[in-house]
Amino acid sequence: MNNVEKIIEGMTPLQKLSEMTQLNGAFVSASDAEITGLAADFGLNRENIASIGTVLNFTDAKEMKRIQDTHLAESPNKLPLLFMMDVIHGYRTIYPIPLGLGASFDTELVKKCSALAAREATADGVQVTFTPMVDLVRDARWGRCMESTGEDTYLNCLMARAQIEGFSKGNPEPGRNLATCVKHYAAYGAAEAGRDYNTVDMSEHTLREYYLPAYRAAVDAGVDMVMTSFNLLNGVPAAVNKWTINDILRKEWGFDGVVITDYNSFRETVAHGYSKDTEHCARLAFETETDIEMMSPCFIKHGKKLLDTGVIDEERLNRSVRRILDLKEKVGMLDNPYGAADEALAAELFLSDEHRAVCRDAAVRSAVLLKNDGVLPLSEDIGKVAVIGPHAKSGMIGFWSCRGRADEAVSVYDGISAVLGEDRLVYAKGANGEVREKSDAVMIKEAADAASAADAAILCLGETAKMSGEGNSRVDISLTDAEVELIRAVSAVNKNTVVVLFNGRALALGNVIDDAPVFMTMWQPGTEGGSAAADLIFGRRDFTARLPVSFPYHSAQCPLYYNRMSTGRPKPKDDKHYMYKSNYIDYPNGPLFAFGHGLCYTEFEFSEPVLSSSVMHTGGTIEASVRIKNVGKREGSALPQLYIRDVVACPVRPVRELRGFSRVTLKPGEETTVSFEITEDMLAFHRPDGSFGADEGEFHVYISRDGESGSYAEFELVK
Ligand code: BGC
């Protein structure tokens, strides 16, 4: 009998149920008065709390050790707690938000940032991170877009794998890697109307084809845990969904790691109208192979009764406890209850030069140049620069930033000042409708005055950290009226106006895009955001990132995504309204900025794509190539994207889908051929009979600079 089995044998049923319960760290060291409150809310007493298995949320290594000591002193079986946290895009040093990292189209970079975040987090007492979040997002109104890597299934799969590899294997030093947890299973990102926690209703085909693959990719990459989601999926809460948890995740995909609920989501099945009370929910929950209940008391409160009345048997509890203890053993907690916590090392790693340097590089590689009418890069010999905007002097680290602090992050003002010196800067706060120091009109006037006396104006606008992230959905994702007025007033007096956006989602810029010559997004770039912005603005570095989400003209276009289906009445061209075609009277169908779009400081010419053959025989391959030439004046990197369309299929396939991308760096005048190998599995899809494969017929191949443009070459798959 191995160690874990021996432990299980010595545990009482109540201890097993406690092991399956996760609470906030503070609960463990709570006073008797606090426990009384908990007892009222959760039905918990000291004895249950003393046996819980895992905690989330605590402040640092010191507190982690204090919680563990209290726990070990009180716990009957002396099983150490496991400490979990949302280490999403950094720990104390904060990297760009996942949406920004998605824009990098650079899996090595994502691995690196994840590994460094794990280094800092493990030193501060964390063993498990609730990452990666791989929910496919097609609706920019949803606040949690910032946590995802975008609207494309293929890109999300690559990024899921990269995050798992980085967090769980990225550091060679023992103890410096984190166990990972993919979330939120399943299809949480498809919340109706982009409103957080809202209903999801979709066909099995859509679920399997577009939403499930990234969770599956995480399982295949060796993720340790899976977190279920808050939403209803086709009328059943995902938290107690036997089909997704037992049939798909456990049986089909063979996942034998830990399944954890999201925060309080068992109890929320009552509000959903799926269970009548927590006991009913506990019955339903035990029918799924879920192992840990996060922050609600269904298992612990009702499990014993369900066991005594024969509704469940003890082997059901043993299976879950076994998975939890296996994880504790894997990360070394059964041998050392403090894990790899090391206060001195944490102090050394936090914001270290090495971590800051990667952070700056990551922020550069995540920023997207949306529009540039010849103004950027600015010369460092420029006279005065006006740095304007409510976000000009604040660091922008974004939601889910653990111990990160905005006041430790470099602002754009500081970044520009480091290049030009402060005496060449003028500053004005500007307006966004939120700042209440003076009226918007006065602040806009002050900003325009500052801009008119300068040689260029840099306007730092967009969302605050609290305008995206969990619970922060928006109906209107455009800039505020005050921001629009500010942009107009400043660019009216300064032709070198650069709008630097901070945002945790795609923004709708249709009403303002013509009002300034430059728009770039930094997303929420993290600790070194301002330095990275300066690197880009002065052309010390070039832009390399591309949009991982489509930017609409108007909020009401949401949901908007490039890999849509064709209607029976497709719009011929996106230039005007066509009667009895699928289109709007007042706006284009398509995006203002396409998925995959991103400019840089040079220009590339793409040839038409060429195929090695017009026929692919089953089991064979075809080579698709494109000539790319740098026709601009400086070296730059192009990101040719391979898209494929299956022209006739049942069910129908999208107008195109990303199947590959590549990066080439070319000097002015230089040209090269970029080739992609197309294999039959790249043409496969889920068929109505449940099988997965490619069907015979015609396919279109694009190698383009984004998900909307370019022309295609054709081939036929013959079986
Ligand atoms: C979020 C999860 C997160 C959990 C723990 C929930 O509210 O939905 O993404 O991992 O809290 O912090």
Side-chain angles (χ1 to χ4, degrees), residues 23 45 55 81 147 195 242 278 302 357 363 377 381 400 420 655:
L23 297 175
N45 54 36
V55 295
L81 288 165
E147 291 172 58
R195 177 157 50 78
K242 285 198 279 187
T278 52
H302 307 291
D381 298 329
W400 296 119
L420 296 183
V655 291

Side-chain angles (χ1 to χ4, degrees), residues 56 86 130 144 183-184 227 230 262-263 294 400 470:
L56 80 161
D86 295 280
F130 297 125
R144 303 195 77 166
K183 65 191 188 186
H184 306 84
M227 186 188 293
F230 290 125
D262 204 344
Y263 208 100
M294 184 198 289
W400 296 119
E470 186 176 352

